[in-house]
Amino acid sequence: MTFNPEPVLAQGSLEAVTWQRAHPAFMVTALLRNLRGFILPFVLVAIGNSGRESRTGTLIFLGISAVVLLLSGIGSVVQWWFHRYALTPDRLLVHSGIIFKQERAIPYQRIQTVDLEAAPLDRLLGVARMKIETAAGGGGESEVELKAVRRGAALALREQLLRAQQTVQGDVAPEPGATGQDDETPATRVMESSGELVRKLSLGELLLAGATSGTIGPAAAIIGVGIQFADDIVPQAWWNRVPWDQVTGASRNLSVIAGVVIVIAVFAWLVAIAGTVLTYYGFELRRDGEHLVVQYGLLDRRRTTIPIRRIQAIRIEEGLLRQPFGYATVRYESAGRAGAAEGGSGTLFPMMPRNAVRELLAIVAPEFAVDVDRPRFQRLPRRSLPRYIVADSISSLFMVILIMVGIRFWQDGLPWWGYLPLLWVPIVVVLGWLSFRDAGWKLDERVLMLRTRGAARSTLVTPRRRIQYRQMTANPLQHRAGLVTLQIAVASGDLGGHYSLPHMDVADGNALLLALNPRHGVGQAHS
Amino acid sequence: MLGDLLGAAVFGLVALAIAFVAQQVFEFHWAWAAAATGFVLALSLTWAIVSPSIRYEQWRFEIREDEVDLLHGLVVRTRQIVPMSRIQHVDTTRGPIQRRYGLASVVFYTAAGGMTIPELSDERAASVRDQIAALAKVHDDL
């Protein structure tokens, strides 16, 4: 499977197309993928069977397993055989499937991004998956995946696709760099990128990002799995030996409870740090001509290519824990990233000093390099403050009361620390007040900025010409108070990115709605 | 309006099913279940009969040279403005009930979602569609 770009591109007719097949490693990953669905039933049956001494049962079980394995094996070989791709002068052809044949032709100018991904197994086998995403339309259908392309070939193919795309579009083709055809590049170097390095995540920033990420999701999942595991695997006899009387007694002891809570909190924190390190390790942002290349990850190295002119909006997010350190996360909304997990939005840089953001954007996306702080944001009218505080406070108070009732039943009475959850309510009030204080908008001839706060303070920067539509809504309560919620939509993924600024003054809202007419600004005629 | 009646009928059936299940589970007198269902059904029927005319009254749209301006909504009032230069394509759609009464809806799409102007007469819908299509083409330069 040597890759030979020139002849294919030189040929004119479809008949002369040379088809390429994926690396044989495709069969290994396909087999594992085919078997994945059987693992859980297999394990369940195995466990269910282990207690009984039934020979026929075991035989049937082994027989079924063998058949499944055989069929999956044949399936993977056939899948590999029928998974082919070819480059013609103006399009990429991908054929796959046997029963449900899929033949796909992607004109080069439709290609939006070309991503290389390598899961640990892929890396072990020296291959990469290549994801090719096209402009909006049809859900996940707008995505093509070339599985198991040899890494050297993958990089060359990616270069070639991007170059072909630019040639077809009539843009200036970039200098064909030295990265072109060297098939023999060592695997570790292949994943490194062309283009000039703009910014790299330092180890300190990485650890700070983890420590302030405030996510407890992964930790909760691990604890959940752990409990499940303990329940299933640990033999009943061991459970019987636990002195439950003492455990129940201890569970009512304040210091034990506090200890358990602190241990879980610290564990969750460590898991969050580890998760962030795994995800964002070695984060690099590069600019390669008119594309940005982002790559990150410790085990599963991810790589995304973003055409700069497809970026619709930039979001600067300052988490509650990060704001005091003066750090922010920069995210982007890009048109036509269909099928991406977050529907067109992604991380441009996970953790950087907020006062360096403008400088960074000046290099990677000049259209968005604006002064976020001056002039100041237009703020909301005083009368919208209650709307930011009251509803959330009441619902949090309701939850706190539920928790306190729980504690009361559990402890046979309410000890002094049972009132501690009440502290949550003033925190919610303060957060609501902060949300009100930070909410605002700012519009100049070219760019609209919206600022809101959930927990993190989020500043949206979007050129007015990128706004697809804008709207304002008023529910009956807002209507009575003369307030509206302003919403704008930018192109992003399949659904678009929608941003709202709740509880603006109705006159301000109307004025802003009309002022956002793309013709009123300047500079919208270019590009 | 017919659509709303249909919606009310479905809603009533759902209410009936819930009432039946609740009656089986909690074993209260069947008259309570019947009363509750009747009440819900009456409410949704009233809504179905009254709200369409009000909603119809509340619907406004204006097609300007460079933008489409929509104002609608009974409970939540919404004003939407879509620049012509952002409209990708325009359709008219007609459901079976709409066909029966010679009505059609105009649907137009941006890269961030679609918008509908509902229940125009056939000719009006066609002319609105053509008008938007023509203006959207003019403003394609952005």
Side-chain angles (χ1 to χ4, degrees):
Chain A
M1 209 218 56
T2 45
F3 193 80
N4 193 6
E6 257 56 59
V8 180
L9 273 184
Q11 281 153 3
S13 70
L14 262 177
E15 289 74 34
V17 159
T18 41
W19 288 95
Q20 315 270 335
R21 207 160 270 133
H23 191 272
F26 179 93
M27 289 180 273
V28 180
T29 48
L31 179 65
L32 289 178
R33 211 171 30 246
N34 291 341
L35 285 178
R36 199 166 49 188
F38 291 103
I39 290 174
L40 192 64
F42 184 88
V43 170
L44 286 180
V45 172
I47 290 174
N49 236 4
S50 64
R52 281 170 277 131
E53 302 284 325
S54 156
R55 257 187 90 81
T56 34
T58 314
L59 276 178
I60 292 174
F61 177 62
L62 283 178
I64 292 178
S65 307
V67 170
V68 165
L69 195 65
L70 189 70
L71 286 180
S72 305
I74 295 172
S76 345
V77 174
V78 174
Q79 274 175 10
W80 171 71
W81 186 257
F82 283 94
H83 183 82
R84 302 175 304 167
Y85 65 91
L87 291 122
T88 77
D90 61 344
R91 62 192 57 195
L92 169 72
L93 304 174
V94 182
H95 287 194
S96 60
I98 320 130
I99 300 165
F100 298 100
K101 263 201 191 313
Q102 193 181 44
E103 301 185 353
R104 214 169 250 185
I106 306 114
Y108 293 135
Q109 65 263 47
R110 285 286 152 74
I111 294 176
Q112 300 261 321
T113 61
V114 181
D115 292 352
L116 285 182
E117 274 177 26
L121 181 67
D122 292 329
R123 301 179 121 203
L124 207 67
L125 297 166
V127 296
R129 271 176 297 158
M130 199 157 166
K131 276 191 180 164
I132 296 157
E133 280 161 7
T134 58
E141 288 302 302
S142 47
E143 187 178 304
V144 172
E145 196 175 80
L146 297 182
K147 298 170 184 108
V149 181
R150 202 194 306 170
R151 288 199 199 176
L155 196 70
L157 181 58
R158 176 180 160 274
E159 293 281 318
Q160 198 187 0
L161 281 177
L162 294 176
R163 205 161 54 226
Q165 176 194 17
Q166 275 161 344
T167 317
V168 170
Q169 279 173 348
D171 292 357
V172 187
E175 287 289 299
T179 36
Q181 287 87 17
D182 50 349
D183 216 350
E184 298 312 314
T185 322
T188 44
R189 275 198 47 221
V190 169
M191 296 310 280
E192 273 172 29
S193 172
S194 52
E196 92 187 85
L197 181 67
V198 179
R199 195 182 174 89
K200 204 173 168 154
L201 189 69
S202 74
L203 192 64
E205 285 171 341
L206 179 66
L207 291 175
L208 186 59
T212 58
S213 70
T215 48
I216 52 167
I222 290 180
I223 290 172
V225 169
I227 290 171
Q228 196 70 29
F229 180 78
D231 206 31
D232 289 350
I233 304 298
V234 176
Q236 193 60 39
W238 291 16
W239 286 117
N240 292 342
R241 265 189 259 159
V242 175
W244 288 110
D245 296 347
Q246 288 173 38
V247 172
T248 321
S251 78
R252 298 189 179 193
N253 184 317
L254 176 58
S255 52
V256 172
I257 296 169
V260 168
V261 167
I262 289 172
V263 165
I264 290 178
V266 169
F267 176 71
W269 191 57
L270 290 177
V271 169
I273 293 178
T276 308
V277 169
L278 281 182
T279 312
Y280 287 129
Y281 178 84
F283 194 102
E284 279 182 3
L285 173 62
R286 290 167 179 275
R287 177 169 180 160
D288 185 2
E290 288 307 302
H291 297 270
L292 299 181
V293 181
V294 162
Q295 47 188 337
Y296 53 95
L298 185 58
L299 297 176
D300 198 355
R301 192 106 181 124
R302 290 180 156 268
R303 173 192 171 119
T304 308
T305 308
I306 314 146
I308 293 174
R309 62 196 179 88
R310 294 276 174 195
I311 299 177
Q312 307 290 310
I314 292 285
R315 224 161 66 219
I316 302 163
E317 296 198 332
E318 298 160 82
L320 213 50
L321 295 173
R322 293 174 185 179
Q323 210 176 346
F325 295 96
Y327 273 82
T329 299
V330 184
R331 298 177 63 80
Y332 64 84
E333 297 275 6
S334 163
R337 285 264 300 146
E342 277 173 278
S345 125
T347 303
L348 195 67
F349 210 83
M351 186 80 172
M352 62 185 295
R354 76 182 294 274
N355 54 24
V357 171
R358 189 182 179 185
E359 213 176 305
L360 179 88
L361 290 175
I363 301 170
V364 297
E367 200 179 0
F368 300 88
V370 289
D371 192 339
V372 176
D373 299 315
R374 270 172 303 272
R376 302 181 85 99
F377 276 73
Q378 311 259 351
R379 289 185 43 187
L380 303 181
R382 198 81 208 160
R383 65 182 187 282
S384 70
L385 175 60
R387 269 150 235 284
Y388 275 90
I389 292 181
V390 176
D392 285 352
S393 306
I394 290 175
S395 61
S396 71
L397 187 64
F398 188 70
M399 247 183 53
V400 163
I401 288 172
L402 272 184
I403 293 172
M404 285 170 63
V405 168
I407 292 175
R408 209 190 109 90
F409 276 111
W410 175 37
Q411 292 286 322
D412 300 331
L414 205 55
W416 64 267
W417 54 266
Y419 292 95
L420 282 180
L422 277 175
L423 288 177
W424 181 242
V425 178
I427 292 176
V428 169
V429 170
V430 169
L431 262 179
W433 180 78
L434 281 176
S435 303
F436 164 75
R437 198 199 59 177
D438 284 329
W441 79 96
K442 186 155 94 168
L443 177 72
D444 63 24
E445 307 90 65
R446 209 171 55 76
V447 175
L448 170 72
M449 285 180 241
L450 291 183
R451 179 173 276 174
T452 53
R453 178 193 286 284
R457 184 169 84 169
S458 162
T459 308
L460 179 85
V461 180
T462 185
R464 49 165 87 206
R465 70 187 184 89
R466 300 285 193 188
I467 298 173
Q468 296 290 328
Y469 67 86
R470 62 240 193 229
Q471 67 178 37
M472 64 187 203
T473 60
N475 63 34
L477 285 175
Q478 289 178 309
H479 197 72
R480 241 186 29 200
L483 297 171
V484 293
T485 294
L486 181 98
Q487 200 179 71
I488 62 137
V490 296
S492 171
D494 288 338
L495 300 173
H498 301 261
Y499 291 92
S500 55
L501 180 61
H503 313 313
M504 283 179 83
D505 180 78
V506 62
D508 288 344
N510 259 314
L512 184 56
L513 206 65
L514 292 172
L516 281 174
N517 185 327
R519 286 183 137 197
H520 293 175
V522 296
Q524 79 274 17
H526 315 297
S527 78
Chain B
M1 165 128 179
L2 272 177
D4 287 280
L5 280 177
L6 221 62
V10 171
F11 197 67
L13 277 178
V14 171
L16 186 67
I18 291 174
F20 179 73
V21 171
Q23 202 264 335
Q24 292 293 313
V25 172
F26 298 109
E27 297 180 340
F28 45 75
H29 199 274
W30 61 269
W32 287 110
T37 312
F39 181 67
V40 170
L41 194 61
L43 266 186
S44 59
L45 269 178
T46 314
W47 177 254
I49 292 166
V50 172
S51 78
S53 59
I54 307 177
R55 283 214 310 261
Y56 173 76
E57 283 299 315
Q58 297 287 340
W59 237 106
R60 299 274 182 284
F61 72 92
E62 183 182 322
I63 297 167
R64 289 193 291 270
E65 195 206 328
D66 56 346
E67 292 182 319
V68 182
D69 199 335
L70 311 175
L71 180 64
H72 55 93
L74 181 57
V75 179
V76 177
R77 295 291 286 160
T78 302
R79 182 179 182 186
Q80 299 177 302
I81 302 185
V82 190
M84 287 295 176
S85 52
R86 295 287 162 270
I87 295 175
Q88 314 249 329
H89 62 277
V90 200
D91 296 340
T92 43
T93 62
R94 310 168 71 208
I97 299 173
Q98 287 181 309
R99 256 202 301 272
R100 168 85 176 67
Y101 291 95
L103 296 174
S105 301
V106 176
V107 190
F108 53 96
Y109 300 88
T110 71
M115 254 141 276
T116 308
I117 306 177
E119 318 299 351
L120 302 173
S121 71
D122 273 343
E123 308 84 62
R124 181 96 193 279
S127 85
V128 166
R129 178 197 61 205
D130 294 344
Q131 197 184 354
I132 293 177
L135 288 168
K137 208 167 184 174
V138 172
H139 291 273
D140 209 21
D141 54 326
L142 282 183

